[in-house]
Amino acid sequence: MTGGNLLNEDDVEAVFRHLSQAMPGRTATAKGPKDQPDPFRSVVSCVLSAQSRDANTQLATDRLFALATTPDAILALDDAAIAAAIKPCGLYNMKTRSLRKLCTALIERHDRTVPRTRDGLMSLPGVGRKCADIVMSFVFDEDVIAVDTHVHRVSNRIGLTDATSADRTARQLEERAPEWALRDGHFWLIQFGKAVCVSRRPKCETCPVNHLCLSFSALARV
Ligand code: SF4
C-alpha cells in the first residue's frame, strides 16, 4: 500500500485480480444502457438519464422512440410532444432543449452519425465523460471502464483512485488500472458495488479485498 489514499500499482493489480474472480465480467448479452446497441438511441438515453432512475430513463426513451427514431424526426416534433414523451425521466423541459441541441449537432456537424471517439462524443451537447464512456463501452465495444456512482464509490473506498468526482475517477482508472482489466473492470466494480461494497453498511468483514482496501485499514486503525 502507499502511505496516502492510493494503492500502489501491485495492489491495484491485486484488487482487480480478486474482483475478476469474485464478480461476473462482461457477458455476451451485456448491452447497454439497457439493451440499446443503437448509438443514437444510446446517446439520447444518456442525455435523458441525468438525475433519473434507470427504469424511468428506459421508459422515457421508449416513449420518445415510439414517436421518432432519428435526429431529424425528433427535431420535427414540437417541444410539447417531446416533453410529454420524456416526462418520466424528469427535468423534461431542460432535457427537451438538450435533445434539440444534440440532434442539431449530429445533423450539422456529424453527418447524422454518432462519433466513435471519446472527444467526438463529448463534443456533443449534453454528453459528458460518463455518457461518452458508456457509449464507447456498451455500444462500440471499446475497453473502457465507464464510471457510474457505484464504480466511483468503490474505486475511491478501496484506494484505486482518490478522486472527488466521477470524471476524475474515470481518468485515474484509465491511468491506473492494468490493461487487462479495462475490458471488464466496469462490470466487476459495478457488481461489487451492488453486492458487497454497497453505499450504506458495506460488507467489509466478508469482502474479498478487505486486506487491500485503504478504507477498511483506516477503520481498523480507529
Ligand atoms: S473492505 Fe469494505 S469498504 Fe473496502 S472494498 Fe470491501 S466492502 Fe468496500
Side-chain angles (χ1 to χ4, degrees):
M1 290 178 189
T2 66
N5 298 319
L6 282 172
L7 292 173
N8 65 32
E9 202 180 316
D10 288 346
D11 286 346
V12 168
E13 177 120 18
V15 166
F16 277 107
R17 209 175 317 110
H18 282 290
L19 293 183
S20 72
Q21 288 158 5
M23 294 292 144
R26 185 188 293 256
T27 63
T29 54
K31 294 187 189 124
K34 298 286 177 224
D35 294 334
Q36 291 168 19
D38 165 36
F40 178 58
R41 187 177 168 119
S42 180
V43 170
V44 166
S45 180
C46 267
V47 169
L48 296 182
S49 71
Q51 296 179 52
S52 168
R53 290 175 185 275
D54 286 354
N56 294 337
T57 304
Q58 171 90 15
L59 180 58
T61 308
D62 287 347
R63 286 165 53 128
L64 178 65
F65 274 72
L67 300 177
T69 58
T70 65
D72 299 85
I74 288 177
L75 285 180
L77 298 172
D78 61 32
D79 282 358
I82 297 174
I86 65 172
K87 198 166 185 176
C89 68
L91 304 174
Y92 45 88
N93 288 326
M94 188 198 80
K95 290 177 181 177
T96 295
R97 291 194 290 277
S98 297
L99 281 179
R100 283 205 180 282
K101 287 183 191 162
L102 171 71
C103 292
T104 302
L106 282 170
I107 291 168
E108 292 182 352
R109 303 208 302 267
H110 297 281
D111 203 18
R112 295 174 170 77
T113 304
V114 174
R116 294 184 72 100
T117 64
R118 181 180 289 128
D119 286 348
L121 285 160
M122 288 178 68
S123 76
L124 296 173
V127 178
R129 168 93 190 213
K130 176 181 150 193
C131 271
D133 284 358
I134 284 174
V135 174
M136 285 174 70
S137 173
F138 286 91
V139 180
F140 296 133
D141 207 28
E142 300 277 350
D143 295 350
V144 168
I145 299 181
V147 175
D148 73 344
T149 178
H150 300 290
V151 175
H152 175 59
R153 179 183 68 253
V154 168
S155 299
N156 288 285
R157 275 184 179 163
I158 299 176
L160 299 173
T161 58
D162 65 349
T164 50
S165 71
D167 284 6
R168 286 200 189 118
T169 296
R171 284 199 290 275
Q172 288 189 2
L173 283 175
E174 190 180 13
E175 285 168 13
R176 308 193 80 237
E179 194 84 21
W180 59 263
L182 294 180
R183 180 151 187 79
D184 285 14
H186 166 84
F187 298 89
W188 298 326
L189 288 164
I190 202 168
Q191 297 297 336
F192 183 67
K194 287 180 178 176
V196 181
C197 193
V198 292
S199 177
R200 290 183 196 183
R201 301 169 69 88
K203 300 168 184 167
C204 299
E205 296 303 329
T206 54
C207 170
V209 295
N210 60 11
H211 58 297
L212 295 159
C213 174
L214 292 180
S215 295
F216 189 62
S217 60
L219 269 180
R221 285 198 298 272
V222 175

